[in-house]
Amino acid sequence: SRFAPASATSLNPAFDALLAGLGSDVPVAPGDVLVLSATDALTKQTYVLASFHGDTDGLATVPVVKTMAQLLAKQPAGTRHVFGMDANTYAVGSAKQQGVSEFAAEYRQLGLTSCWGDAPDPTNITTFNARTYLQPQLNKAVAYKDLASPGTGDKNPKDFLLFPKGSFGVESTTKDNTGQKAYVERQPFPTLTFPSDHGVLSSVLKLLPPPSPLASERSARRGAGLGPLACRRVKSQCGQRRGECEQRAARTSCV
């Protein structure tokens, strides 16, 4: 690994404390979230790396992402973040299931983007599975001829990599449901050769230089607005010029 082992530090205690402040209604079980800080031994860049396994209906996904944004705001300036997740989002959301478009709107508000961009395609699915008549719970079984029919099985865009907008450029993102670095659309899985009910998601990310406070300010003036992470970046890069920092933060709607 290119990460220095001695630099790895668990941030789960801090995350769990923030999440506990939301109350007991968020369906997160022990082990659902892993978050740690580590330093690249070659570049000395510090990263916060996190993973999350969402509940079946995706109702914990937005609260968890918001909590992670709070944790990131407490990290040293210059820290980079990558958050991989089974968000369990659905192509069409409802009061009982988290919709993917609504999820994207939430992470954009936090100053984040994804490996699928700011507005993921609801038809770009990463699951395609259904129970057979040889498995328990026959009421969930789907005949092979009905697999492609709407409303049968689980065919949804559920898997994401999130990171602060402007921190990485996405060189490529691929899906795999074969174990051969290939994705066959409309193929049900798991299969005899691919045991997961979610496709494997891989992205090549290019580390981008941090934006200057002036660039962030201009972006806000163009109407783009700044999320909490970008606001924190504006403040931290003002250095010790406290008065100028406060003025700049006010102009960019940072509080």
Side-chain angles (χ1 to χ4, degrees), residues 20-253:
L22 299 180
S24 59
D25 294 336
V26 181
V28 176
D32 281 349
V33 180
L34 174 66
V35 53
L36 57 85
S37 173
T39 301
D40 188 317
L42 298 178
T43 66
K44 308 307 178 184
Q45 171 68 53
T46 299
Y47 294 85
V48 171
L49 306 173
S51 65
F52 170 57
H53 176 255
D55 61 293
T56 300
D57 295 318
L59 299 181
T61 299
V62 169
V64 164
V65 172
K66 287 183 175 180
T67 301
M68 193 66 69
Q70 293 180 43
L71 180 66
L72 294 178
K74 299 177 182 293
Q75 303 309 304
T79 300
R80 299 302 178 100
H81 171 58
V82 180
F83 190 6
M85 67 180 67
D86 163 10
N88 269 330
T89 47
Y90 291 79
V92 179
S94 67
K96 295 183 178 181
Q97 292 182 323
Q98 178 63 58
V100 67
S101 296
E102 293 79 7
F103 170 55
E106 293 284 355
Y107 69 62
R108 289 196 301 269
Q109 286 292 319
L110 295 169
L112 302 173
T113 190
S114 81
C115 59
W116 304 121
D118 292 343
D121 179 358
T123 67
N124 183 23
I125 62 175
T126 57
T127 62
F128 192 122
N129 58 77
R131 293 180 186 270
T132 72
Y133 287 97
L134 297 178
Q135 294 173 279
Q137 295 182 295
L138 291 179
N139 60 306
K140 296 183 179 180
V142 178
Y144 184 80
K145 66 181 179 62
D146 297 328
L147 274 175
S149 301
T152 60
D154 180 1
K155 304 184 284 288
N156 289 288
K158 292 192 169 186
D159 300 280
F160 290 83
L161 291 173
L162 298 185
F163 42 88
K165 193 172 179 66
S167 61
F168 295 96
V170 180
E171 300 283 291
S172 64
T173 296
T174 59
K175 303 184 294 184
D176 181 357
N177 63 355
T178 64
Q180 302 297 320
K181 298 184 179 180
Y183 190 92
V184 180
E185 297 290 350
R186 304 175 68 83
Q187 172 180 281
F189 56 97
T191 66
L192 292 176
T193 58
F194 188 81
S196 176
D197 62 355
H198 284 249
V200 175
L201 192 64
S202 302
S203 286
V204 176
L205 304 179
K206 179 181 180 181
L207 189 65
L208 299 178
S212 67
L214 182 58
S216 296
E217 180 179 341
R218 287 173 177 168
S219 176
R221 286 180 173 177
R222 287 195 300 267
L226 293 175
L229 299 181
C231 283
R232 178 184 171 279
R233 192 178 299 118
V234 168
K235 293 179 180 179
S236 66
Q237 291 180 351
C238 285
Q240 301 190 8
R241 295 172 293 175
R242 306 290 293 184
E244 180 183 344
C245 181
E246 292 172 359
Q247 294 173 11
R248 182 169 292 160
R251 288 197 298 270
T252 54
S253 301

